[in-house]
Amino acid sequence: MRKLLVTGGAGFIGANFVHYWARHHPADRLLVLDALTYAGNPANLDPVKDHAGFRFVHGDIRDGALVDRLMREEAIDTIVHFAAESHVDRSILGPDAFIETNVIGTHTLLKAARKAWLDSDDAPASPRFHHVSTDEVYGSLGPTDPAFTETTPYAPNSPYSASKAASDHLVRAYHHTYGLPVTTSNCSNNYGPYHFPEKLIPLLIVNILEGKPLPVYGDGMNIRDWLYVEDHARGIELVLNQGRVGEVYNIGGNNEWANIDIVKLVCQLLDEAFAHDPSLHQRFPRSPAAQNQAASLITYVKDRPGHDRRYAIDAHKIMSELGYAPQESFETGIRKTIDWFLANEPWWRAVMDGSYQDWVKQQYA
Ligand code: NAD
Ligand code: TYD
């Protein structure tokens, strides 16, 4: 039985990971530590709130005393570290929070793990600090460059990716210097249920339903490599169970798409959904998908400063060493995602009107 501390578990990927873990490892203890920033949503944890081993703590990973107490109280043997500021556009507007959480916060967790596992008499038998990172640390690829491997030199371009790169280096250094048992995974762009609608795919879905413009940055030809979020959770599970300590594993699904092609695909799938289900016309009267015209919302806008042109993950290492294979194709994953947003309108409405944070506001009223 494992005792996991999952940081950032009320966010998009963390919550999906917690759901996945509770289903596949029901005997394990799952302690979520989350500061509930704008990206944290208590409703994301509704599916596990009655799960036997689940506990939620509202707190900040930079609070060293709190993290030390939780490590002792729960005899944590596994940290899965998701908590981060994660949106590139926000990092361009205000980098400070990214340095605070992604760099200082990660370092606070590393110190706590070192204290609990290396400098203590009652350390768990085989502890593990798993750091969740991104392919964006490797920089930007040209059209014919080979995909990122675990040995691609770091070349982060945005304040977000630079802060994640810094955290990756700290994790590596704590292993090299102190022998902390760490693993790191660098994953490509995720999509799926509970995705905060400031990121491309959920923003497209919600804006089509509301009849709002679909902003395409620059020429729309930037390329991202997309992975269904549950396939990311599966990859992390493999690294936790079979990954070699001190190693880095890239996780991806070999699924490169130009942004404009994703925009057109989501438009087409929503047009089809409206054609098949007349009740959507009543629920979303402003959506041009009702007239088979979601693409009429496409609006080219000014490019993101420093916009990385292409990301692509080479996942051979995790595939050959740990037997990893994504289970969703883009076709099945994107349909599941659209279906989830159609079936969970109250979730995204609460995000759009801000009421998803009522619980946090009440706490500080
Ligand atoms: P997210 O923004 O949806 O969620 C981040 C969560 O962390 C939120 O619940 C937030 O409240 C919490 N948090 C932020 N600051 C905190 C702090 N100081 N203390 C405690 N909790 C705090 O992010 P996400 O998309 O789920 O990403 C999760 C992790 O995966 C991040 O580390 C990110 O860098 C990495 N990642 C994301 C992607 C992607 O496509 N989204 C791809 C690869 C890697
Ligand atoms: P995003 O979802 O923010 O992820 P990341 O920047 O971490 O890759 O953006 C994905 C791609 O979509 C990226 O190339 C920027 C682009 N994009 C748009 O064209 N319009 C938008 O409104 C958003 C949010 C992103």
Side-chain angles (χ1 to χ4, degrees):
M1 182 194 140
R2 268 203 164 106
K3 293 167 190 146
L4 288 86
L5 169 62
V6 181
T7 70
F12 162 50
I13 307 176
N16 278 284
F17 174 83
V18 169
H19 305 166
Y20 177 87
W21 201 271
R23 277 201 311 279
H24 289 84
H25 307 274
D28 284 359
R29 193 105 175 101
L30 273 167
L31 168 65
V32 168
L33 173 63
D34 197 297
L36 296 178
T37 66
Y38 82 93
N41 183 345
N44 294 1
L45 292 166
D46 280 352
V48 291
K49 67 178 189 305
D50 299 322
H51 183 78
F54 173 73
R55 176 183 169 199
F56 177 75
V57 173
H58 180 210
D60 199 303
I61 56 165
R62 291 167 301 165
D63 183 344
L66 171 66
V67 179
D68 285 345
R69 177 165 68 71
L70 294 173
M71 294 293 290
R72 273 198 314 276
E73 219 170 77
E74 299 273 350
I76 296 295
D77 55 27
T78 306
I79 295 176
V80 190
H81 176 34
F82 292 95
E85 288 294 335
S86 69
H87 191 39
V88 173
D89 292 328
R90 285 180 189 257
S91 83
I92 293 167
L93 292 171
D96 297 65
F98 289 72
I99 307 305
E100 283 289 333
T101 285
N102 301 359
V103 186
I104 310 288
T106 300
H107 188 234
T108 306
L109 286 173
L110 288 165
K111 283 194 290 185
R114 181 182 169 210
K115 196 190 281 184
W117 296 342
L118 303 181
D119 303 338
S120 139
D121 295 334
D122 53 357
S126 48
R128 177 71 68 85
F129 186 111
H130 182 73
H131 178 56
V132 180
S133 193
T134 166
D135 59 358
E136 304 193 21
V137 297
Y138 300 121
S140 183
L141 293 167
T144 56
D145 287 338
F148 303 128
T149 71
E150 291 78 0
T151 55
T152 300
Y154 273 36
N157 289 319
S158 72
Y160 164 66
S161 54
S163 68
K164 290 298 289 187
S167 67
D168 293 8
H169 290 323
L170 283 168
V171 170
R172 178 192 152 90
Y174 263 65
H175 174 66
H176 192 81
T177 305
Y178 305 115
L180 194 74
V182 306
T183 40
T184 294
S185 51
N186 294 85
C187 189
S188 56
N189 284 58
N190 285 213
Y191 67 99
Y194 302 98
H195 206 176
F196 197 86
E198 65 181 353
K199 306 273 171 69
L200 180 66
I201 289 181
L203 180 86
L204 295 172
I205 299 171
V206 167
N207 280 11
I208 291 171
L209 296 177
E210 299 228 277
K212 292 183 181 161
L214 309 178
V216 176
Y217 298 169
D219 63 1
M221 291 306 291
N222 298 67
I223 291 172
R224 298 291 181 265
D225 192 348
W226 294 91
L227 185 72
Y228 191 65
V229 63
E230 202 169 288
D231 280 326
H232 187 184
R234 233 174 243 117
I236 294 172
E237 178 189 38
L238 273 177
V239 175
L240 282 174
N241 288 339
Q242 299 167 44
R244 287 179 292 138
V245 166
E247 290 291 314
V248 173
Y249 295 89
N250 281 357
I251 305 179
N254 199 14
N255 181 41
E256 290 182 53
W257 281 75
N259 293 338
I260 189 63
D261 293 332
I262 298 224
V263 177
K264 288 180 180 161
L265 176 67
V266 174
C267 288
Q268 181 206 320
L269 291 174
L270 272 164
D271 285 348
E272 285 171 18
F274 274 73
H276 287 119
D277 181 355
S279 75
L280 294 177
H281 295 244
Q282 276 83 56
R283 284 174 60 197
F284 305 106
R286 286 200 299 276
S287 178
Q291 276 78 48
N292 206 25
Q293 283 179 352
S296 63
L297 296 171
I298 294 174
T299 310
Y300 286 88
V301 298
K302 197 161 154 283
D303 208 356
R304 171 189 280 172
H307 196 175
D308 284 339
R309 196 63 174 165
R310 174 176 165 237
Y311 302 142
I313 277 274
D314 179 338
H316 275 102
K317 181 175 174 183
I318 190 169
M319 287 176 159
S320 59
E321 208 176 283
L322 309 184
Y324 175 72
Q327 288 189 5
E328 298 294 340
S329 66
F330 197 53
E331 169 82 355
T332 59
I334 199 82
R335 281 179 193 277
K336 275 191 180 181
T337 305
I338 290 175
D339 288 347
W340 187 88
F341 276 84
L342 289 173
N344 289 274
E345 188 184 347
W347 179 89
W348 57 262
R349 290 258 180 238
V351 172
M352 309 298 279
D353 70 18
S355 60
Y356 73 113
Q357 290 229 310
D358 282 353
W359 184 83
V360 186
K361 287 178 205 136
Q362 276 156 18
Q363 279 215 325
Y364 298 104

